[in-house]
Every structure is written in structure tokens, then in C-alpha cells.
Amino acid sequence: MVTKKPQTKKRSPKKSSVKKSETPGLWLVKQEPETYSWDDFVRDGRTDWTGVRNFQARNNLRQMKVGERVLFYHSGTGKCVVGIAEVAKAAYPDPTADDPQWVAVDLKPLKPLNEPVPLASIRYHANLGNLPLIRQSQLSVMPLTKKEFETILSMGAGKKVRKK
């Protein structure tokens, strides 16, 4: 006689404990202005974001979708956010890499900020304390929350806040 095992109920998969950002699709990319500046970017009208060889930055590139907003940060000289761009083409194999695991995206400039937002101002702003730009300074492509993105935009709007 064969005995059957009692059937157990299938459990639904556990929800991920990974906290997602408030709003997906907001990014910051870093570029040395001596190599490729905001002005170069505007002149070209569009560029392929190639040459990223950091695993975390590559994973961030893979998540970028067409139409998402991107802050353009001058690293090295200047160290400031200078403009707003948009993802024009989602991730595709990086033509500058010999290994297919590396990807690139295409970006197009939208508009410069009225005032550059320097790293020093970002570092000491209450809403920006957890920004990867500060906590992981070598990361060249990073996600931002809606609050972080909007805070930097307001800082770059050039509006002076009156102190009472």
C-alpha cells in the first residue's frame, strides 16, 4: 500500500526587503569636464555613454529607460551639477568593450541649470546626506530619489532663499 504525503499549501513568495527609491528613473552621471563637458554635450546634441567599467554603475545603466531624467555632474575640475539630460536610448552593448557584459546608453541634453550646484552645497544639505555622490564618490552612474533630484534642481534654479 502506497501512502500519500499530505499536500502542503504553497506559500506566496516573500516580498523583497530591498527598499526601492521613491521614484525610479532619476539619475546622476559624472563626467570630467576636461574630457567631455556639458558644453561639449550640448554642442553634440546627443552622446553615447560608453566606457563605464564599474559593476554597480553598469547595473545602474541597465536600469535606465528612455525618457528618464539625468543630472549631469562635472567631476574633477568644478565638482558641480551643471545640467539636466534625458535617456535617449536604453542600455545596449558598449561598443568600446571587448566583453558583452558592459553596456552603454544614449543621453541627450535638455537644459543647463541656472546656477551650478557645487559638491560642497550638496554635501551639507539636509535632504542630500545619503546621496551616492557623497557616500560612494567613485560611482559614475547613480540613482536618485525624487526628493534628492528636486532638491538639486531647486538649488540650481538660482533663486535666493531669504533668511528670516
Side-chain angles (χ1 to χ4, degrees), residues 62-154:
R62 285 179 175 168
Q63 294 176 39
M64 290 179 149
K65 294 177 181 61
V66 172
E68 293 180 338
R69 298 292 190 250
V70 181
L71 294 178
F72 192 98
Y73 178 85
H74 277 168
S75 59
T77 304
K79 294 189 181 190
C80 56
V81 178
V82 294
I84 307 167
E86 181 178 85
V87 179
K89 183 177 179 182
Y92 58 91
D94 186 336
T96 68
D98 294 331
D99 186 335
Q101 74 171 326
W102 300 109
V103 297
V105 298
D106 286 1
L107 301 176
K108 64 181 181 181
L110 292 181
K111 66 179 189 174
L113 297 181
N114 291 339
E115 299 285 332
V117 181
L119 178 61
S121 297
I122 292 169
R123 176 172 283 140
Y124 297 109
H125 194 287
N127 292 342
L128 304 174
N130 290 322
L131 197 69
L133 181 64
I134 297 164
R135 300 173 61 86
Q136 295 174 280
S137 63
Q138 297 300 309
L139 190 60
S140 63
V141 180
M142 60 198 71
L144 300 176
T145 65
K146 182 178 180 182
K147 187 173 189 176
E148 291 165 342
F149 192 88
E150 290 176 350
T151 298
I152 293 171
L153 286 185
S154 69

Side-chain angles (χ1 to χ4, degrees), residues 10 55 88 134:
K10 289 186 180 179
F55 289 103
I134 297 164

Side-chain angles (χ1 to χ4, degrees), residues 12-86:
S12 59
K14 290 184 180 180
K15 291 184 180 179
S16 173
S17 62
V18 176
K19 184 179 177 186
K20 293 184 180 179
S21 65
E22 292 174 25
T23 301
L26 300 172
W27 306 94
L28 183 141
V29 296
K30 292 167 55 176
Q31 180 61 46
E32 293 181 14
E34 301 85 7
T35 305
Y36 193 75
S37 70
W38 173 259
D39 291 337
D40 296 329
F41 186 30
V42 170
R43 181 196 64 231
D44 294 346
R46 183 175 172 139
T47 192
D48 52 348
W49 209 259
T50 60
V52 173
R53 299 297 180 266
N54 171 286
F55 289 103
Q56 188 174 1
R58 181 220 39 212
N59 292 343
N60 290 335
L61 285 175
R62 285 179 175 168
Q63 294 176 39
M64 290 179 149
K65 294 177 181 61
V66 172
E68 293 180 338
R69 298 292 190 250
V70 181
L71 294 178
F72 192 98
Y73 178 85
H74 277 168
S75 59
T77 304
K79 294 189 181 190
C80 56
V81 178
V82 294
I84 307 167
E86 181 178 85

